[in-house]
Amino acid sequence: MQDDLVRSSGRRETIAPAFFGCDRAVSTTLILVQILNGLQLGILLFLIAAGLTLVFGVMGFINLAHGVQYMVGAYFAVAFYGLTGNFLAAMVLALASALVLGLLLEFLVFRHLYDRDHLDQVLATFGIILFLNQATIVIWGPAPLIIPTPDFLSGSIPLTGGLLYPVYRLAIIGAGLAVAALLWFIVTRTRLGMLVRAGATNPDMVSALGVDVRRLFMLVFGFGAMLAGFAGVLSAPIFSVEPGMGDNLLIVAFVVIIVGGIGSIRGSFIAALLIGLVDTLGRSLATDILKLFIDASSANQIGPAIASMLIYVLMAAILFFRPTGLFSVGRAT
Amino acid sequence: MKTYLSGVALSAMLAATAAMATGTAIAEPVKIGMIVTLSGPPAALGKQSRDGFQLALDKLGGKLGGQETQFIVEDDELKPDVAISRAKSLVEREQVDVVVGTIFSNMLAAIFKPVVTSDTFLISPNAGPSTFAGKNCNPFFFSTSYQNNQNFELLGKYAEEQGFKNVFMMAPNYQAGKDSITGFKSNYTGAIADEIYTPLGHKDFSAEIAKMSAAKPDALFTFMPGGMGVRFVKQFRAAGLADQMAFLSAFTVDETTLPAQKDDAIGFFGAGNWAPNLDTPGNAEFVAAFEAKYGYVPGTYAMQAYDTAMLLDSAIAKVGGNMSDKDALRAAIRAAEFTSLRGDFKFNNNHYPVQDFYLLKVAKRADGKFQTEIEKKVFDDQGDSFASECKMTW
């Protein structure tokens, strides 16, 4: 068995350099594909982080249950797809349901927590995670579910070098960019956006100027929940829909809003793409780059470990140089 | 969570009647405890085991070896501490004669000591770690499944036989993942296009799939159990790679994941000791009865649990229901005088099975459900590679 390991690592070294040297056409395309993959991950992160950063930034409210809203969006998509058999119809219904659920949670639970300290908010929203995760098991069972990729977005398109890229993932990037543009328009060009920006900077002053901050909060909250639900719907055809699927993404979404600057939509957009790219390129290249310096079997051990640390290293570095994140909104304390 | 098959009261009444009639010692019912995972996403596997064992028990009229049987099911929740306390409760409080468990190797490691040190038989209906196959083999432990590495070794052998020159390997970054790749390599001598370890519970395989696409291997070897397998198969198919390379996998496309993978997994290869369409005596009836009762396609987990019940039935009949003579019971289990749904079955010196292994292929049945089907027999009467380290002889 030991011999096998040695033999295989011997073989590997003859192959690894081809990746960077001889076959440059393939490796540039490969990097292009990985950049697309990174953008697509970044877009999904952005959809989740946008709501989170608004809720945290505007209301100063820590909502751990935001990842659950992503999960619920995906489950709604599965349920409505089962009823209608049409992806677009399922998406519209799922978005509406995610919005309703978000407003309902705000009405029943969250609005009673705005004036409490962060520990109470964390405990209550963590309770909601446990409750909704179990509820999905009771309703849909523990096994992973999936919905098929819609026909008009299935298949893949060839890129240069014979590599294929799935159309659906390009559609995710497109949809995410459209949402980002819409958000940019709302936040910078409308009265509502102005209030949101003002609320993020100085909520007390906004309230003093006669704006119904409670209603503003509720709107922001419902909209954020819907965006997370949208990310869930988009990911249902490529990821398996299962209980707890939002829990890991929530952690990364927090990294995104911290890197981007809490309360800043622009910051979370840039940070989400940055984190998506760093994570994806790290995972695909870390091991290969290490192989140039150390032997292959050690690289296989260390590479994945480094790759999974990269985004946190990035966050630490950004916090060191810019403690309030890349695009701080300059919140009044 | 407990399921009492024949109520305690009923058994006690029967025993009392029997005692009054004959004036002999009270015949206790046989007690079987099962510990499997019944919560969280892997619950589908434990459910198969429980239902498989239950089906056998129903077929035997609620009796094993002609003895009234009490069947108690516990959920280990995939947490070692929970598994230990459930095992202790079965052994100490319920005083079961046999513990059947577990699904996962780490759960088996947790309950192994409390069960076997109390001289209670432990039979694994699925978990088959190397830990208890070699020098730590135990007179009170049996496995009716396989040794984990065998499925990986089978795929390596198949790749070698097919003359694959270049194989891309991917597994989760934990012990079982690394074992899978070591197992595959033990029979495969061709080149390795790349060897990737992903985080456990990985979501988005796009980066890995792009590398596969660029490396253009003859085949992909992967081990992606549970939800990871569902996501990966879906994404692999969507990327259009299914037409470009053979898909060789273990524990990635099986009856527990196929209901979610559906058409995306058709034509992909798996490995195992059985498939629903295996042509052995009684197998077709088993599959039909299982589906009629539970409404889903049985996988190897259900088959192994069913076989475990049948094995116990044969052994308990052989000792005439006397569960206290452990040596006699052990000899009766070793004899394995039952008809396994998988055909050839006997125990190796380490109490793991000697059996045939097959390359499996995913297919869609006429009724629209999905199952793995026998493609080719790769190993005949195969024991595992750790048996020689086991000092037990019999």
Side-chain angles (χ1 to χ4, degrees):
Chain A
M1 197 104 3
Q2 200 59 28
D3 283 351
D4 285 323
L5 286 175
V6 174
R7 210 173 58 217
S8 66
S9 54
R11 285 192 301 248
R12 301 182 48 83
E13 271 154 66
T14 58
I15 292 168
F19 238 78
F20 288 95
C22 323
D23 217 346
R24 197 165 292 275
V26 169
S27 91
T28 1
T29 319
L30 181 60
I31 288 177
L32 171 72
V33 169
Q34 302 295 29
I35 288 173
L36 284 174
N37 286 332
L39 287 178
Q40 178 245 310
L41 173 64
I43 289 289
L44 284 181
L45 285 176
F46 167 67
L47 291 175
I48 298 171
L52 195 64
T53 201
L54 281 180
V55 170
F56 199 8
V58 177
M59 312 186 207
F61 180 71
I62 299 185
N63 180 18
L64 293 187
H66 199 72
V68 175
Q69 274 150 348
Y70 160 81
M71 173 187 76
V72 167
Y75 270 106
F76 280 146
V78 170
F80 289 121
Y81 185 83
L83 286 179
T84 62
N86 181 318
F87 183 75
L88 288 181
M91 175 185 280
V92 171
L93 289 169
L95 286 182
S97 310
L99 178 68
V100 170
L101 182 82
L103 294 176
L104 198 66
L105 282 176
E106 202 274 348
F107 180 73
L108 290 176
V109 185
F110 300 141
R111 69 168 47 175
H112 309 291
L113 297 165
Y114 292 148
D115 302 326
R116 312 281 282 267
D117 65 19
H118 281 167
L119 183 62
D120 290 353
Q121 297 171 353
V122 166
L123 283 175
T125 53
F126 187 66
I128 289 176
I129 295 183
L130 298 179
F131 176 80
L132 287 180
N133 278 346
Q134 281 305 315
T136 53
I137 293 181
V138 171
I139 300 172
W140 285 282
L145 303 172
I146 213 149
I147 58 176
T149 315
D151 280 340
F152 62 98
L153 293 175
S154 63
S156 13
I157 54 165
L159 304 171
T160 53
L163 291 189
L164 295 169
Y165 201 76
V167 176
Y168 187 76
R169 285 174 185 268
L170 290 175
I172 290 185
I173 298 178
L177 291 177
V179 169
L182 182 71
L183 272 178
W184 171 83
F185 180 79
I186 293 176
V187 170
T188 60
R189 292 286 182 273
T190 65
R191 185 176 158 74
L192 180 69
M194 186 188 71
L195 290 176
V196 168
R197 275 181 294 144
T201 316
N202 195 335
D204 297 337
M205 185 60 80
V206 174
S207 179
L209 289 172
V211 176
D212 185 348
V213 173
R214 288 271 152 159
R215 219 183 57 184
L216 179 69
F217 281 10
M218 189 161 172
L219 251 169
V220 168
F221 201 94
F223 194 65
M226 194 172 74
L227 283 182
F230 184 51
V233 174
L234 286 181
S235 55
I238 46 173
F239 302 153
S240 57
V241 180
E242 59 189 19
M245 64 188 280
D247 300 354
N248 291 331
L249 267 179
L250 179 76
I251 299 172
V252 187
F254 267 109
V255 173
V256 166
I257 69 170
I258 289 168
V259 168
I262 290 163
S264 163
I265 295 268
R266 183 171 56 148
S268 68
F269 181 70
I270 305 274
L273 295 188
L274 186 66
I275 296 281
L277 283 172
V278 166
D279 189 55
T280 305
L281 291 177
R283 271 195 289 121
S284 54
L285 299 179
T287 309
D288 289 327
I289 290 172
L290 276 175
K291 273 178 201 153
L292 300 177
F293 305 103
I294 56 178
D295 69 283
S297 65
S298 316
N300 275 329
Q301 295 282 331
I302 302 169
I306 291 187
S308 56
M309 275 189 275
L310 274 181
I311 59 171
Y312 303 102
V313 174
L314 178 74
M315 177 176 76
I318 285 175
L319 284 181
F320 182 77
F321 292 106
R322 292 182 73 98
T324 51
L326 293 176
F327 296 87
S328 168
V329 293
R331 185 184 172 82
T333 47
Chain B
M1 191 192 297
K2 287 180 188 171
T3 318
Y4 288 97
L5 267 197
S6 42
V8 182
L10 180 68
S11 325
M13 213 167 67
L14 285 174
T17 327
M20 273 189 296
T22 60
T24 54
I26 292 174
E28 295 261 330
V30 170
K31 272 189 164 184
I32 308 290
M34 174 178 261
I35 303 183
V36 289
T37 304
L38 291 168
S39 45
L45 284 62
K47 199 160 157 275
Q48 289 238 358
S49 280
R50 185 191 59 194
D51 293 348
F53 199 97
Q54 183 69 66
L55 188 70
L57 213 47
D58 290 352
K59 191 182 170 192
L60 298 167
K63 294 180 178 182
L64 289 180
Q67 309 293 314
E68 282 303 325
T69 299
Q70 192 183 335
F71 179 44
I72 306 166
V73 182
E74 297 277 9
D75 178 12
D76 63 29
E77 298 173 21
L78 202 51
K79 293 175 187 149
D81 53 323
V82 175
I84 291 177
S85 79
R86 298 279 190 272
K88 282 187 170 160
S89 133
L90 283 178
V91 170
E92 288 163 16
R93 204 165 44 119
E94 304 283 354
Q95 304 209 314
V96 296
D97 301 297
V98 178
V99 174
V100 177
T102 58
I103 298 295
F104 293 93
S105 298
N106 53 339
M107 294 301 107
L108 186 66
I111 69 166
F112 189 82
K113 217 169 158 205
V115 177
V116 300
T117 51
S118 68
D119 288 2
T120 307
F121 285 99
L122 174 61
I123 303 185
S124 167
N126 188 58
S130 57
T131 338
F132 309 123
K135 63 179 193 300
N136 291 323
C137 60
N138 191 290
F140 280 95
F141 173 71
F142 287 83
S143 160
T144 53
S145 52
Y146 44 77
Q147 199 282 313
N148 291 349
N149 297 26
Q150 290 177 299
N151 290 309
F152 310 131
E153 290 165 9
L154 178 163
L155 292 163
K157 174 122 190 288
Y158 175 74
E160 189 75 9
E161 282 175 1
Q162 290 299 108
F164 289 149
K165 297 276 180 291
N166 196 12
V167 173
F168 193 105
M169 302 178 184
M170 180 174 77
N173 193 14
Y174 76 126
Q175 193 55 45
K178 289 175 181 164
D179 289 349
S180 73
I181 287 191
T182 312
F184 184 88
K185 283 179 185 167
S186 68
N187 281 331
Y188 171 73
T189 56
I192 297 169
D194 205 341
E195 185 179 327
I196 295 188
Y197 295 96
T198 68
L200 196 57
H202 199 40
K203 298 261 184 256
D204 189 352
F205 290 89
S206 52
E208 291 77 11
I209 285 172
K211 283 184 136 184
M212 287 166 204
S213 176
K216 297 193 187 353
D218 299 328
L220 163 79
F221 165 70
T222 190
F223 162 65
M224 283 291 157
M228 287 188 290
V230 173
R231 294 186 283 272
F232 175 61
V233 162
K234 181 96 191 157
Q235 296 172 20
F236 184 84
R237 176 70 73 176
L241 294 189
D243 310 322
Q244 299 181 6
M245 62 192 78
F247 186 99
L248 308 178
S249 68
F251 309 107
T252 306
V253 288
D254 64 25
E255 281 71 19
T256 62
T257 57
L258 286 175
Q261 291 160 334
K262 298 199 171 80
D263 292 290
D264 287 330
I266 287 182
F268 288 3
F269 292 112
N273 52 4
W274 178 84
N277 77 333
L278 181 62
D279 187 15
T280 53
N283 195 36
E285 290 84 342
F286 161 74
V287 174
F290 190 96
E291 289 181 20
K293 179 155 187 211
Y294 300 110
Y296 62 92
V297 185
T300 194
Y301 311 96
M303 178 279 289
Q304 285 161 181
Y306 182 93
D307 265 9
T308 306
M310 290 303 176
L311 166 72
L312 284 171
D313 179 58
S314 73
I316 294 170
K318 207 169 180 191
V319 297
N322 179 5
M323 304 300 279
S324 53
D325 185 347
K326 305 283 183 187
D327 290 336
L329 185 56
R330 180 180 307 110
I333 298 176
R334 280 174 175 170
E337 285 168 3
F338 73 108
T339 311
S340 170
L341 293 176
R342 67 197 99 167
D344 295 352
F345 182 101
K346 63 180 171 111
F347 279 115
N348 211 341
N349 70 308
N350 62 349
H351 291 176
Y352 278 62
V354 174
Q355 58 190 330
D356 301 339
F357 281 90
Y358 306 88
L359 183 76
L360 308 177
K361 190 176 188 177
V362 176
K364 187 176 191 171
R365 302 193 312 199
D367 66 358
K369 290 186 174 168
F370 296 83
Q371 68 180 18
T372 55
E373 295 187 346
I374 303 288
E375 175 76 4
K376 179 178 188 217
K377 187 191 279 190
V378 180
F379 290 140
D380 189 53
D381 289 338
Q382 179 89 350
D384 61 85
S385 47
F386 299 90
S388 55
E389 295 167 27
C390 171
K391 296 282 187 291
M392 221 159 29
T393 51
W394 41 280

